[in-house]
Amino acid sequence: KAGVTQTPRYLIKTRGQQVTLSCSPISGHRSVSWYQQTPGQGLQFLFEYFSETQRNKGNFPGRFSGRQFSNSRSEMNVSTLELGDSALYLCASGPSMRLGEQYFGPGTRLTVT
Amino acid sequence: AQSVTQPDIHITVSEGASLELRCNYSYGATPYLFWYVQSPGQGLQLLLKYFSGDTLVQGIKGFEAEFKRSQSSFNLRKPSVHWSDAAEYFCAVGAPNTGNQFYFGTGTSLTVIP
């Protein structure tokens, strides 16, 4: 079974632009979560989607948004990029909302210049 | 609020030596506890988890962890480290009925010397 796929793997954007990251979960998984990983703040929870509905949201500004499609694929969008948004964005999928059943993808490395 | 502390930013051990990575958590009730490992350029891989029951849990790759409620700790151990264990290790806590929302520690980087 294929793992969690994230595209693109690397991305360079300019401050003020917007970006969309994509996550394809493991087949059959309906939960998708997003995390931001930075050297200064570590791993921080962004949001979780289950069956196309946002179930949980972390403490991030409204510039960070996401959605989930009927095939469970998910996208996250960051508008008006700031330098501090440079990070590794990790996506995780799971068959349910039960903790500990998530599988993480390799991440998308976003650099904002 | 939940939080996780990993006091050791970086640890170096010799191959074949034993390993213990420390993790302390803050949570009002019994939390769900996890250890993840991240190799360079990779996502996170679950090593083991604790929900309830036996406080000593076994995981993959020969790792184990012990939940100590009195010390609010969930330390990760391995009796004999292999060079391939070099990676970043993260302790995480989650709460029941909050979905897949983890609170992660800042991580411990492990270097293994021959």
Side-chain angles (χ1 to χ4, degrees):
Chain A
K1 192 182 266 192
V4 177
T5 304
Q6 292 188 244
T7 57
R9 290 292 311 276
Y10 301 92
L11 201 53
I12 300 175
K13 288 287 188 179
T14 303
R15 191 171 47 184
Q17 289 185 315
Q18 74 166 17
V19 66
T20 299
L21 312 181
S22 179
C23 173
S24 293
I26 293 172
S27 178
H29 285 190
R30 296 165 62 193
S31 166
V32 174
S33 301
W34 288 89
Y35 287 83
Q36 181 196 64
Q37 185 176 22
T38 60
Q41 299 296 318
L43 281 151
Q44 294 184 287
F45 173 78
L46 280 157
F47 27 65
E48 178 183 15
Y49 287 86
F50 185 84
S51 295
E52 302 179 65
T53 302
Q54 187 179 92
R55 304 290 180 161
N56 284 300
K57 190 177 191 308
N59 189 27
F60 277 82
R63 300 185 298 107
F64 291 82
S65 63
R67 59 177 175 170
Q68 186 179 34
F69 302 95
S70 58
N71 62 358
S72 294
R73 190 177 70 84
S74 177
E75 290 180 346
M76 68 162 282
N77 184 276
V78 187
S79 63
T80 317
L81 283 167
E82 301 176 359
L83 297 179
D85 298 332
S86 294
L88 180 67
Y89 290 88
L90 293 166
C91 163
S93 80
S96 70
M97 290 183 65
R98 178 180 167 81
L99 275 172
E101 293 184 345
Q102 292 179 298
Y103 297 84
F104 282 81
T108 293
R109 172 73 63 186
L110 171 65
T111 302
V112 182
T113 62
Chain B
Q2 301 159 53
S3 66
V4 178
T5 301
Q6 293 181 247
D8 305 304
I9 296 173
H10 185 251
I11 283 182
T12 299
V13 299
S14 298
E15 191 169 16
S18 64
L19 172 70
E20 182 169 27
L21 302 182
R22 296 183 291 165
C23 172
N24 293 96
Y25 68 88
S26 173
Y27 183 63
T30 299
Y32 289 175
L33 295 161
F34 306 82
W35 275 100
Y36 280 88
V37 61
Q38 185 178 35
S39 297
Q42 304 293 317
L44 299 171
Q45 182 183 23
L46 178 66
L47 287 175
L48 46 78
K49 59 189 176 185
Y50 173 79
F51 287 174
S52 64
D54 192 346
T55 57
L56 184 64
V57 294
Q58 302 296 320
I60 63 172
K61 303 185 180 187
F63 286 93
E64 67 177 27
E66 186 172 13
F67 170 59
K68 292 185 177 180
R69 184 190 303 275
S70 61
Q71 298 176 22
S72 297
S73 69
F74 188 58
N75 294 347
L76 182 72
R77 300 193 294 249
K78 186 170 185 178
S80 179
V81 170
H82 188 262
W83 65 266
S84 60
D85 293 324
E88 188 90 15
Y89 291 80
F90 294 92
C91 181
V93 63
N97 304 316
T98 61
N100 284 304
Q101 182 171 353
F102 290 105
Y103 294 87
F104 284 90
T106 50
T108 297
S109 176
L110 174 65
T111 297
V112 180
I113 56 177

